[in-house]
């Protein structure tokens, strides 16, 4: 079979289920002898506050960035090389697509919660990733007890 993956990107939200998503991505990368990258996206603070705040948010954004990098390292360190751990600022689906194209990713792995309906099944970020991706997308089911014993 010639559809081996060469570069797997796992996009995480840094919640408690992120390690499950990373472990699944790591298994796939391992089996395919593929590079594994992990990505977390922070929304710019200006978006959250509508740009109406009369102060410089740079130092706060830098602190959030640093905190996210530390959390990402806690999850990723045993499985993903430092240079393949990325925290980006922007809209998650847009940044994931941009990264995937720029770094020649051929599989994006995201977490999904088992709710009903297509958008609810994946969540809005996962749905956005799926719709704009130019490569395969795997949604790893997370968040419910008793579905697997991994």
């Amino acid at each position: 079979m010639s559809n081996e993956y060469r570069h797997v990107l796992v996009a995480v939200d840094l919640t408690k289920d992120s390690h499950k998503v990373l472990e699944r991505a790591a298994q796939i990368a391992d089996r395919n002898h593929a590079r594994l990258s992990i990505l977390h996206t922070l929304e710019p603070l200006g978006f959250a506050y509508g740009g109406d705040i009369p102060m410089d948010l740079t130092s706060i954004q830098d602190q959030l960035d640093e905190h996210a990098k530390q959390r990402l390292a806690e999850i990723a360190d045993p499985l993903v090389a430092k240079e393949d751990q990325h925290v980006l600022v922007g809209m998650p689906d847009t940044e994931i697509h941009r990264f995937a194209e720029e770094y020649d990713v051929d599989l994006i792995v995201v977490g999904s919660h088992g709710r009903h309906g297509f958008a609810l099944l994946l969540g809005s970020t996962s749905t956005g990733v799926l719709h704009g991706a130019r490569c395969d997308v795997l949604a790893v089911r997370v968040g419910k007890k008793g579905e697997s014993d991994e």
Side-chain angles (χ1 to χ4, degrees):
M1 189 156 71
S2 67
N3 73 345
E4 284 187 9
Y5 297 116
R6 294 174 314 283
H7 190 181
V8 177
L9 171 64
V10 57
V12 295
D13 59 6
L14 300 180
T15 60
K16 62 182 174 49
D17 291 319
S18 293
H19 72 279
K20 292 179 191 167
V21 180
L22 175 58
E23 285 166 14
R24 182 64 50 86
Q27 291 167 356
I28 294 166
D30 240 18
R31 270 196 304 262
N32 288 277
H33 308 289
R35 178 178 179 188
L36 178 61
S37 294
I38 187 167
L39 171 69
H40 174 70
T41 310
L42 287 171
E43 269 192 31
L45 279 176
F47 283 11
Y49 296 106
D52 292 339
I53 297 183
M55 59 186 280
D56 183 10
L57 298 173
T58 309
S59 67
I60 299 168
Q61 186 79 56
D62 289 345
Q63 286 174 13
L64 289 172
D65 204 46
E66 204 45 53
H67 178 71
K69 285 178 180 159
Q70 288 169 7
R71 282 279 300 127
L72 191 66
E74 287 169 19
I75 296 165
D77 268 351
L79 297 170
V80 183
K82 274 284 184 225
E83 65 269 14
D84 290 323
Q85 297 178 25
H86 306 275
V87 173
L88 302 177
V89 176
M91 298 309 293
D93 48 356
T94 305
E95 292 305 315
I96 291 165
H97 292 146
R98 190 183 58 71
F99 184 95
E101 286 182 36
E102 194 175 317
Y103 291 93
D104 205 20
V105 168
D106 41 24
L107 175 65
I108 299 169
V109 181
V110 293
S112 80
H113 296 272
R115 299 186 188 106
H116 298 293
F118 190 68
L120 289 174
L121 170 73
L122 292 170
S124 58
T125 297
S126 299
T127 302
V129 170
L130 179 64
H131 285 296
R134 293 190 179 162
C135 63
D136 290 352
V137 177
L138 171 65
V140 175
R141 191 159 179 170
V142 294
K144 283 193 165 184
K145 294 250 180 258
E147 287 181 348
S148 74
D149 54 1
E150 291 179 44

PDB file of all heavy atoms in Angstrom, residues 26-54:
ATOM      1  N   ALA A  26       0.881   9.335  17.595  1.00  0.00           N
ATOM      2  CA  ALA A  26       2.226   8.765  17.733  1.00  0.00           C
ATOM      3  C   ALA A  26       2.260   7.323  17.231  1.00  0.00           C
ATOM      4  O   ALA A  26       3.225   6.908  16.583  1.00  0.00           O
ATOM      5  CB  ALA A  26       2.688   8.843  19.181  1.00  0.00           C
ATOM      6  N   GLN A  27       1.208   6.557  17.502  1.00  0.00           N
ATOM      7  CA  GLN A  27       1.129   5.172  17.015  1.00  0.00           C
ATOM      8  C   GLN A  27       1.159   5.147  15.486  1.00  0.00           C
ATOM      9  O   GLN A  27       1.863   4.336  14.879  1.00  0.00           O
ATOM     10  CB  GLN A  27      -0.158   4.492  17.503  1.00  0.00           C
ATOM     11  CG  GLN A  27      -0.196   4.217  18.984  1.00  0.00           C
ATOM     12  CD  GLN A  27      -1.604   3.831  19.465  1.00  0.00           C
ATOM     13  OE1 GLN A  27      -2.567   3.836  18.691  1.00  0.00           O
ATOM     14  NE2 GLN A  27      -1.718   3.527  20.752  1.00  0.00           N
ATOM     15  N   ILE A  28       0.389   6.036  14.881  1.00  0.00           N
ATOM     16  CA  ILE A  28       0.324   6.088  13.412  1.00  0.00           C
ATOM     17  C   ILE A  28       1.666   6.525  12.840  1.00  0.00           C
ATOM     18  O   ILE A  28       2.162   5.946  11.868  1.00  0.00           O
ATOM     19  CB  ILE A  28      -0.817   7.030  12.955  1.00  0.00           C
ATOM     20  CG1 ILE A  28      -2.168   6.422  13.361  1.00  0.00           C
ATOM     21  CG2 ILE A  28      -0.750   7.291  11.451  1.00  0.00           C
ATOM     22  CD1 ILE A  28      -3.329   7.388  13.265  1.00  0.00           C
ATOM     23  N   ALA A  29       2.266   7.553  13.441  1.00  0.00           N
ATOM     24  CA  ALA A  29       3.576   8.032  12.974  1.00  0.00           C
ATOM     25  C   ALA A  29       4.610   6.914  13.095  1.00  0.00           C
ATOM     26  O   ALA A  29       5.406   6.696  12.178  1.00  0.00           O
ATOM     27  CB  ALA A  29       4.008   9.256  13.776  1.00  0.00           C
ATOM     28  N   ASP A  30       4.590   6.211  14.220  1.00  0.00           N
ATOM     29  CA  ASP A  30       5.499   5.087  14.448  1.00  0.00           C
ATOM     30  C   ASP A  30       5.372   4.022  13.366  1.00  0.00           C
ATOM     31  O   ASP A  30       6.362   3.594  12.786  1.00  0.00           O
ATOM     32  CB  ASP A  30       5.157   4.442  15.797  1.00  0.00           C
ATOM     33  CG  ASP A  30       6.324   4.480  16.750  1.00  0.00           C
ATOM     34  OD1 ASP A  30       7.241   5.285  16.508  1.00  0.00           O
ATOM     35  OD2 ASP A  30       6.294   3.709  17.730  1.00  0.00           O
ATOM     36  N   ARG A  31       4.150   3.592  13.127  1.00  0.00           N
ATOM     37  CA  ARG A  31       3.898   2.534  12.138  1.00  0.00           C
ATOM     38  C   ARG A  31       4.363   2.929  10.741  1.00  0.00           C
ATOM     39  O   ARG A  31       4.730   2.082   9.937  1.00  0.00           O
ATOM     40  CB  ARG A  31       2.399   2.200  12.075  1.00  0.00           C
ATOM     41  CG  ARG A  31       1.972   1.110  13.027  1.00  0.00           C
ATOM     42  CD  ARG A  31       0.616   0.566  12.641  1.00  0.00           C
ATOM     43  NE  ARG A  31      -0.397   1.602  12.569  1.00  0.00           N
ATOM     44  CZ  ARG A  31      -1.257   1.880  13.537  1.00  0.00           C
ATOM     45  NH1 ARG A  31      -1.243   1.221  14.652  1.00  0.00           N
ATOM     46  NH2 ARG A  31      -2.146   2.839  13.381  1.00  0.00           N
ATOM     47  N   ASN A  32       4.282   4.221  10.454  1.00  0.00           N
ATOM     48  CA  ASN A  32       4.640   4.703   9.112  1.00  0.00           C
ATOM     49  C   ASN A  32       6.056   5.274   9.054  1.00  0.00           C
ATOM     50  O   ASN A  32       6.451   5.799   8.026  1.00  0.00           O
ATOM     51  CB  ASN A  32       3.640   5.772   8.667  1.00  0.00           C
ATOM     52  CG  ASN A  32       2.289   5.190   8.328  1.00  0.00           C
ATOM     53  OD1 ASN A  32       2.088   4.705   7.223  1.00  0.00           O
ATOM     54  ND2 ASN A  32       1.361   5.199   9.271  1.00  0.00           N
ATOM     55  N   HIS A  33       6.788   5.204  10.160  1.00  0.00           N
ATOM     56  CA  HIS A  33       8.128   5.806  10.255  1.00  0.00           C
ATOM     57  C   HIS A  33       8.069   7.268   9.807  1.00  0.00           C
ATOM     58  O   HIS A  33       8.905   7.739   9.035  1.00  0.00           O
ATOM     59  CB  HIS A  33       9.154   5.019   9.423  1.00  0.00           C
ATOM     60  CG  HIS A  33       9.134   3.553   9.740  1.00  0.00           C
ATOM     61  ND1 HIS A  33       9.599   3.051  10.929  1.00  0.00           N
ATOM     62  CD2 HIS A  33       8.681   2.485   9.023  1.00  0.00           C
ATOM     63  CE1 HIS A  33       9.440   1.735  10.937  1.00  0.00           C
ATOM     64  NE2 HIS A  33       8.884   1.367   9.802  1.00  0.00           N
ATOM     65  N   ALA A  34       7.038   7.960  10.302  1.00  0.00           N
ATOM     66  CA  ALA A  34       6.762   9.337   9.873  1.00  0.00           C
ATOM     67  C   ALA A  34       7.230  10.333  10.928  1.00  0.00           C
ATOM     68  O   ALA A  34       7.359  10.005  12.108  1.00  0.00           O
ATOM     69  CB  ALA A  34       5.261   9.511   9.634  1.00  0.00           C
ATOM     70  N   ARG A  35       7.462  11.539  10.473  1.00  0.00           N
ATOM     71  CA  ARG A  35       7.738  12.648  11.378  1.00  0.00           C
ATOM     72  C   ARG A  35       6.442  12.986  12.105  1.00  0.00           C
ATOM     73  O   ARG A  35       5.357  12.930  11.532  1.00  0.00           O
ATOM     74  CB  ARG A  35       8.202  13.841  10.546  1.00  0.00           C
ATOM     75  CG  ARG A  35       8.491  15.087  11.346  1.00  0.00           C
ATOM     76  CD  ARG A  35       8.984  16.169  10.418  1.00  0.00           C
ATOM     77  NE  ARG A  35       9.260  17.392  11.158  1.00  0.00           N
ATOM     78  CZ  ARG A  35       9.555  18.532  10.585  1.00  0.00           C
ATOM     79  NH1 ARG A  35       9.635  18.611   9.269  1.00  0.00           N
ATOM     80  NH2 ARG A  35       9.792  19.596  11.315  1.00  0.00           N
ATOM     81  N   LEU A  36       6.547  13.364  13.387  1.00  0.00           N
ATOM     82  CA  LEU A  36       5.379  13.735  14.172  1.00  0.00           C
ATOM     83  C   LEU A  36       5.549  15.157  14.683  1.00  0.00           C
ATOM     84  O   LEU A  36       6.547  15.472  15.320  1.00  0.00           O
ATOM     85  CB  LEU A  36       5.209  12.771  15.361  1.00  0.00           C
ATOM     86  CG  LEU A  36       4.046  13.040  16.319  1.00  0.00           C
ATOM     87  CD1 LEU A  36       2.697  12.951  15.593  1.00  0.00           C
ATOM     88  CD2 LEU A  36       4.085  12.058  17.483  1.00  0.00           C
ATOM     89  N   SER A  37       4.580  16.009  14.359  1.00  0.00           N
ATOM     90  CA  SER A  37       4.567  17.386  14.864  1.00  0.00           C
ATOM     91  C   SER A  37       3.321  17.572  15.707  1.00  0.00           C
ATOM     92  O   SER A  37       2.278  16.971  15.438  1.00  0.00           O
ATOM     93  CB  SER A  37       4.544  18.392  13.711  1.00  0.00           C
ATOM     94  OG  SER A  37       5.737  18.325  12.967  1.00  0.00           O
ATOM     95  N   ILE A  38       3.429  18.422  16.726  1.00  0.00           N
ATOM     96  CA  ILE A  38       2.280  18.739  17.571  1.00  0.00           C
ATOM     97  C   ILE A  38       2.086  20.257  17.565  1.00  0.00           C
ATOM     98  O   ILE A  38       3.057  21.010  17.558  1.00  0.00           O
ATOM     99  CB  ILE A  38       2.452  18.177  19.000  1.00  0.00           C
ATOM    100  CG1 ILE A  38       1.170  18.353  19.823  1.00  0.00           C
ATOM    101  CG2 ILE A  38       3.661  18.786  19.697  1.00  0.00           C
ATOM    102  CD1 ILE A  38       1.152  17.551  21.125  1.00  0.00           C
ATOM    103  N   LEU A  39       0.822  20.666  17.535  1.00  0.00           N
ATOM    104  CA  LEU A  39       0.496  22.075  17.360  1.00  0.00           C
ATOM    105  C   LEU A  39      -0.637  22.467  18.298  1.00  0.00           C
ATOM    106  O   LEU A  39      -1.610  21.730  18.462  1.00  0.00           O
ATOM    107  CB  LEU A  39       0.052  22.282  15.908  1.00  0.00           C
ATOM    108  CG  LEU A  39      -0.544  23.611  15.494  1.00  0.00           C
ATOM    109  CD1 LEU A  39       0.517  24.692  15.510  1.00  0.00           C
ATOM    110  CD2 LEU A  39      -1.133  23.504  14.100  1.00  0.00           C
ATOM    111  N   HIS A  40      -0.478  23.619  18.921  1.00  0.00           N
ATOM    112  CA  HIS A  40      -1.568  24.227  19.681  1.00  0.00           C
ATOM    113  C   HIS A  40      -1.712  25.658  19.184  1.00  0.00           C
ATOM    114  O   HIS A  40      -0.723  26.342  18.959  1.00  0.00           O
ATOM    115  CB  HIS A  40      -1.274  24.225  21.184  1.00  0.00           C
ATOM    116  CG  HIS A  40      -2.303  24.970  21.976  1.00  0.00           C
ATOM    117  ND1 HIS A  40      -3.596  24.512  22.148  1.00  0.00           N
ATOM    118  CD2 HIS A  40      -2.244  26.168  22.614  1.00  0.00           C
ATOM    119  CE1 HIS A  40      -4.277  25.384  22.862  1.00  0.00           C
ATOM    120  NE2 HIS A  40      -3.495  26.406  23.159  1.00  0.00           N
ATOM    121  N   THR A  41      -2.949  26.103  19.019  1.00  0.00           N
ATOM    122  CA  THR A  41      -3.197  27.454  18.523  1.00  0.00           C
ATOM    123  C   THR A  41      -3.843  28.307  19.609  1.00  0.00           C
ATOM    124  O   THR A  41      -4.813  27.889  20.234  1.00  0.00           O
ATOM    125  CB  THR A  41      -4.142  27.419  17.301  1.00  0.00           C
ATOM    126  OG1 THR A  41      -3.653  26.464  16.376  1.00  0.00           O
ATOM    127  CG2 THR A  41      -4.185  28.759  16.623  1.00  0.00           C
ATOM    128  N   LEU A  42      -3.287  29.487  19.817  1.00  0.00           N
ATOM    129  CA  LEU A  42      -3.861  30.480  20.736  1.00  0.00           C
ATOM    130  C   LEU A  42      -4.564  31.543  19.913  1.00  0.00           C
ATOM    131  O   LEU A  42      -3.988  32.067  18.958  1.00  0.00           O
ATOM    132  CB  LEU A  42      -2.749  31.179  21.521  1.00  0.00           C
ATOM    133  CG  LEU A  42      -2.028  30.420  22.608  1.00  0.00           C
ATOM    134  CD1 LEU A  42      -0.821  31.234  23.082  1.00  0.00           C
ATOM    135  CD2 LEU A  42      -2.953  30.136  23.766  1.00  0.00           C
ATOM    136  N   GLU A  43      -5.793  31.890  20.288  1.00  0.00           N
ATOM    137  CA  GLU A  43      -6.446  33.010  19.621  1.00  0.00           C
ATOM    138  C   GLU A  43      -5.782  34.296  20.076  1.00  0.00           C
ATOM    139  O   GLU A  43      -5.475  34.451  21.255  1.00  0.00           O
ATOM    140  CB  GLU A  43      -7.935  33.052  19.962  1.00  0.00           C
ATOM    141  CG  GLU A  43      -8.768  32.275  18.996  1.00  0.00           C
ATOM    142  CD  GLU A  43     -10.252  32.554  19.155  1.00  0.00           C
ATOM    143  OE1 GLU A  43     -10.637  33.670  19.547  1.00  0.00           O
ATOM    144  OE2 GLU A  43     -11.019  31.628  18.883  1.00  0.00           O
ATOM    145  N   PRO A  44      -5.569  35.235  19.163  1.00  0.00           N
ATOM    146  CA  PRO A  44      -4.963  36.510  19.562  1.00  0.00           C
ATOM    147  C   PRO A  44      -5.883  37.221  20.572  1.00  0.00           C
ATOM    148  O   PRO A  44      -7.097  37.215  20.405  1.00  0.00           O
ATOM    149  CB  PRO A  44      -4.886  37.308  18.265  1.00  0.00           C
ATOM    150  CG  PRO A  44      -5.136  36.346  17.169  1.00  0.00           C
ATOM    151  CD  PRO A  44      -5.875  35.181  17.737  1.00  0.00           C
ATOM    152  N   LEU A  45      -5.305  37.819  21.592  1.00  0.00           N
ATOM    153  CA  LEU A  45      -6.098  38.506  22.614  1.00  0.00           C
ATOM    154  C   LEU A  45      -6.958  39.615  22.024  1.00  0.00           C
ATOM    155  O   LEU A  45      -8.057  39.852  22.482  1.00  0.00           O
ATOM    156  CB  LEU A  45      -5.189  39.100  23.691  1.00  0.00           C
ATOM    157  CG  LEU A  45      -4.719  38.124  24.757  1.00  0.00           C
ATOM    158  CD1 LEU A  45      -3.751  38.814  25.705  1.00  0.00           C
ATOM    159  CD2 LEU A  45      -5.898  37.559  25.538  1.00  0.00           C
ATOM    160  N   GLY A  46      -6.475  40.263  21.022  1.00  0.00           N
ATOM    161  CA  GLY A  46      -7.247  41.328  20.379  1.00  0.00           C
ATOM    162  C   GLY A  46      -8.580  40.832  19.866  1.00  0.00           C
ATOM    163  O   GLY A  46      -9.577  41.551  19.890  1.00  0.00           O
ATOM    164  N   PHE A  47      -8.648  39.572  19.400  1.00  0.00           N
ATOM    165  CA  PHE A  47      -9.908  38.985  18.932  1.00  0.00           C
ATOM    166  C   PHE A  47     -10.862  38.829  20.097  1.00  0.00           C
ATOM    167  O   PHE A  47     -12.028  39.163  20.019  1.00  0.00           O
ATOM    168  CB  PHE A  47      -9.681  37.597  18.327  1.00  0.00           C
ATOM    169  CG  PHE A  47      -9.111  37.609  16.955  1.00  0.00           C
ATOM    170  CD1 PHE A  47      -8.606  38.768  16.386  1.00  0.00           C
ATOM    171  CD2 PHE A  47      -9.060  36.443  16.218  1.00  0.00           C
ATOM    172  CE1 PHE A  47      -8.073  38.762  15.109  1.00  0.00           C
ATOM    173  CE2 PHE A  47      -8.528  36.431  14.938  1.00  0.00           C
ATOM    174  CZ  PHE A  47      -8.047  37.593  14.386  1.00  0.00           C
ATOM    175  N   ALA A  48     -10.359  38.316  21.198  1.00  0.00           N
ATOM    176  CA  ALA A  48     -11.208  38.042  22.353  1.00  0.00           C
ATOM    177  C   ALA A  48     -11.846  39.324  22.883  1.00  0.00           C
ATOM    178  O   ALA A  48     -12.960  39.310  23.381  1.00  0.00           O
ATOM    179  CB  ALA A  48     -10.402  37.357  23.451  1.00  0.00           C
ATOM    180  N   TYR A  49     -11.129  40.440  22.793  1.00  0.00           N
ATOM    181  CA  TYR A  49     -11.632  41.698  23.337  1.00  0.00           C
ATOM    182  C   TYR A  49     -12.032  42.684  22.250  1.00  0.00           C
ATOM    183  O   TYR A  49     -12.175  43.858  22.510  1.00  0.00           O
ATOM    184  CB  TYR A  49     -10.596  42.310  24.280  1.00  0.00           C
ATOM    185  CG  TYR A  49     -10.355  41.434  25.475  1.00  0.00           C
ATOM    186  CD1 TYR A  49      -9.180  40.692  25.583  1.00  0.00           C
ATOM    187  CD2 TYR A  49     -11.302  41.303  26.479  1.00  0.00           C
ATOM    188  CE1 TYR A  49      -8.963  39.858  26.675  1.00  0.00           C
ATOM    189  CE2 TYR A  49     -11.104  40.478  27.565  1.00  0.00           C
ATOM    190  CZ  TYR A  49      -9.935  39.756  27.656  1.00  0.00           C
ATOM    191  OH  TYR A  49      -9.733  38.936  28.724  1.00  0.00           O
ATOM    192  N   GLY A  50     -12.152  42.224  21.043  1.00  0.00           N
ATOM    193  CA  GLY A  50     -12.640  43.063  19.960  1.00  0.00           C
ATOM    194  C   GLY A  50     -11.734  44.220  19.594  1.00  0.00           C
ATOM    195  O   GLY A  50     -12.138  45.130  18.899  1.00  0.00           O
ATOM    196  N   GLY A  51     -10.503  44.214  20.072  1.00  0.00           N
ATOM    197  CA  GLY A  51      -9.566  45.280  19.740  1.00  0.00           C
ATOM    198  C   GLY A  51      -9.910  46.605  20.396  1.00  0.00           C
ATOM    199  O   GLY A  51      -9.352  47.640  20.051  1.00  0.00           O
ATOM    200  N   ASP A  52     -10.837  46.612  21.361  1.00  0.00           N
ATOM    201  CA  ASP A  52     -11.288  47.862  21.982  1.00  0.00           C
ATOM    202  C   ASP A  52     -10.524  48.234  23.249  1.00  0.00           C
ATOM    203  O   ASP A  52     -10.870  49.194  23.917  1.00  0.00           O
ATOM    204  CB  ASP A  52     -12.777  47.775  22.332  1.00  0.00           C
ATOM    205  CG  ASP A  52     -13.638  47.732  21.081  1.00  0.00           C
ATOM    206  OD1 ASP A  52     -13.149  48.164  20.025  1.00  0.00           O
ATOM    207  OD2 ASP A  52     -14.778  47.260  21.179  1.00  0.00           O
ATOM    208  N   ILE A  53      -9.535  47.450  23.599  1.00  0.00           N
ATOM    209  CA  ILE A  53      -8.823  47.717  24.848  1.00  0.00           C
ATOM    210  C   ILE A  53      -7.693  48.709  24.589  1.00  0.00           C
ATOM    211  O   ILE A  53      -6.845  48.476  23.746  1.00  0.00           O
ATOM    212  CB  ILE A  53      -8.261  46.417  25.451  1.00  0.00           C
ATOM    213  CG1 ILE A  53      -9.430  45.509  25.806  1.00  0.00           C
ATOM    214  CG2 ILE A  53      -7.396  46.692  26.662  1.00  0.00           C
ATOM    215  CD1 ILE A  53      -9.046  44.236  26.469  1.00  0.00           C
ATOM    216  N   PRO A  54      -7.697  49.825  25.321  1.00  0.00           N
ATOM    217  CA  PRO A  54      -6.677  50.857  25.086  1.00  0.00           C
ATOM    218  C   PRO A  54      -5.365  50.539  25.802  1.00  0.00           C
ATOM    219  O   PRO A  54      -4.833  51.354  26.531  1.00  0.00           O
ATOM    220  CB  PRO A  54      -7.342  52.107  25.676  1.00  0.00           C
ATOM    221  CG  PRO A  54      -8.172  51.564  26.786  1.00  0.00           C
ATOM    222  CD  PRO A  54      -8.661  50.226  26.324  1.00  0.00           C
TER     223      PRO A  54
END
